[in-house]
Every structure is written in structure tokens, then in C-alpha cells.
């Protein structure tokens, strides 16, 4: 059985800036008002016969959205970003461009990119791990990170 949470209606949102190094249009710093859709698949169990409580899922996703909200998203595993200073202001270079940003304005992610595809993978793995601690009957978590209405990337995490 599956439960589905629509990110627009459930207020699972964040607004962030990012860049996709080397991309013709997305290579410069720009931003999106993201929303996150969630599908959790598993067996019903417990006193109420839930796959998982909707409230628990929304709490986990909102916490993650809050971490990314109003930040510049930076992928720590990118082979195109060279970090020079990780203490104090973040100093990094992408090709011939050098950046210095206050660390508190950035969110460093354990990803290779900050594309919708990588963000959906990041969310799906994080949400699955958090739900796994609450329930042993979860089979998969599918996340769609939308960069706008009708434009997003899906990733399904299934261990």
C-alpha cells in the first residue's frame, strides 16, 4: 500500500539558490521555490493499520526543507567545485569564478550536484532512514523535488 503527500498542499517547500557548473543556462547562481512530493510504500501495521503516520512523514520532510530554506545549496562531492576554505566564510571556485559566501548562508550537501535529480535522491534516502527508525514495514520512499509547478525529478529509494 502507498501513502501520497502533495508538497504544495502540505506546505513541504523551500526556496534556495544553486548552480549547475558548466550548464549553459543554469551555470550561474539562480534560485527556485521548490516543493517536495512524497510517496511511501509499505505494509499496513500497528494499532491504526497505517503504512506510516502522515504527520511523521511531514515532520521529517519539513525539517529537511527548513535546513535548505533560504540557503545557497552547495554539493560537497562535485568534481567541478574546488573548496579553498571551509572555516569562516566559504571560499570556493568553479572554473575561473571565485566565490566567498558567509557559511551560515550556505547548506553543504553530501551530493555531486544540486540538480533536482540529486536533491530528490538526497531527500529519499534521508526520509527512508528516518522512517526506518519509526517503522520496520516501509518498503520504499519516492520523492519528487519540484523546481516549479509541473517540473521536477523523482527518485525512489528502496534498500
Amino acid at each position: 500500500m502507498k501513502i501520497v503527500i502533495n508538497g504544495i498542499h502540505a506546505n513541504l517547500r523551500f526556496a534556495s539558490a544553486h548552480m549547475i557548473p558548466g550548464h549553459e543556462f543554469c551555470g550561474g547562481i539562480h534560485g527556485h521555490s521548490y516543493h517536495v512530493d512524497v510517496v511511501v510504500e509499505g505494509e499496513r501495521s500497528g494499532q491504526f493499520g497505517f503504512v506510516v503516520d502522515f504527520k511523521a512523514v511531514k515532520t521529517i520532510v519539513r525539517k529537511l526543507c527548513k535546513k535548505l530554506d533560504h540557503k545557497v545549496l552547495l554539493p560537497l562531492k562535485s568534481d567541478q567545485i574546488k573548496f579553498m576554505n571551509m572555516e569562516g566564510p566559504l571560499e570556493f571556485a568553479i572554473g575561473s569564478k571565485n566565490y566567498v559566501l558567509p557559511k551560515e548562508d550556505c547548506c553543504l550537501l553530501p551530493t555531486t550536484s544540486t540538480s533536482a535529480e540529486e536533491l530528490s535522491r538526497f531527500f529519499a534516502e534521508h526520509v527512508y532512514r528516518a522512517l526506518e527508525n519509526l517503522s520496520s514495514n516501509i518498503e520504499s520512499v519516492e520523492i519528487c523535488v519540484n523546481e516549479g509547478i509541473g517540473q521536477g525529478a523523482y527518485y525512489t529509494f528502496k534498500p
Side-chain angles (χ1 to χ4, degrees), residues 88-99:
L90 288 176
E91 295 180 41
F92 60 97
I94 300 172
S96 62
K97 290 183 177 180
N98 294 311
Y99 299 85

Side-chain angles (χ1 to χ4, degrees), residues 22-158:
H23 190 274
E24 181 181 0
F25 301 109
C26 301
I29 296 175
H30 65 286
H32 299 281
S33 293
Y34 296 92
H35 63 274
V36 180
D37 300 323
V38 184
V39 178
V40 179
E41 188 169 1
E43 295 299 319
R44 296 173 61 185
S45 67
Q47 178 183 358
F48 303 106
F50 293 166
V51 172
V52 65
D53 193 320
F54 287 108
K55 186 174 181 174
V57 176
K58 290 187 286 187
T59 298
I60 292 164
V61 175
R62 282 191 185 119
K63 185 177 179 181
L64 198 50
C65 287
K66 185 176 181 178
K67 177 182 172 182
L68 279 59
D69 194 38
H70 287 82
K71 302 289 183 189
V72 177
L73 307 180
L74 296 169
L76 286 171
K77 296 180 181 179
S78 172
D79 59 3
Q80 296 186 42
I81 299 177
K82 180 182 175 193
F83 289 95
M84 281 88 74
N85 183 26
M86 300 293 282
E87 303 301 321
L90 288 176
E91 295 180 41
F92 60 97
I94 300 172
S96 62
K97 290 183 177 180
N98 294 311
Y99 299 85
V100 178
L101 296 172
K103 191 170 186 175
E104 62 269 15
D105 291 346
C106 300
C107 184
L108 300 169
L109 298 171
T111 61
T112 58
S113 172
T114 54
S115 65
E117 291 83 354
E118 276 294 292
L119 291 174
S120 64
R121 184 188 60 77
F122 172 73
F123 266 84
E125 291 177 5
H126 180 87
V127 172
Y128 181 90
R129 297 286 180 235
L131 290 176
E132 188 177 42
N133 291 332
L134 298 176
S135 174
S136 62
N137 64 319
I138 304 300
E139 296 170 8
S140 67
V141 172
E142 180 179 83
I143 296 285
C144 182
V145 172
N146 298 276
E147 292 184 338
I149 295 173
Q151 179 174 303
Y154 281 90
Y155 183 86
T156 302
F157 183 80
K158 187 181 277 192

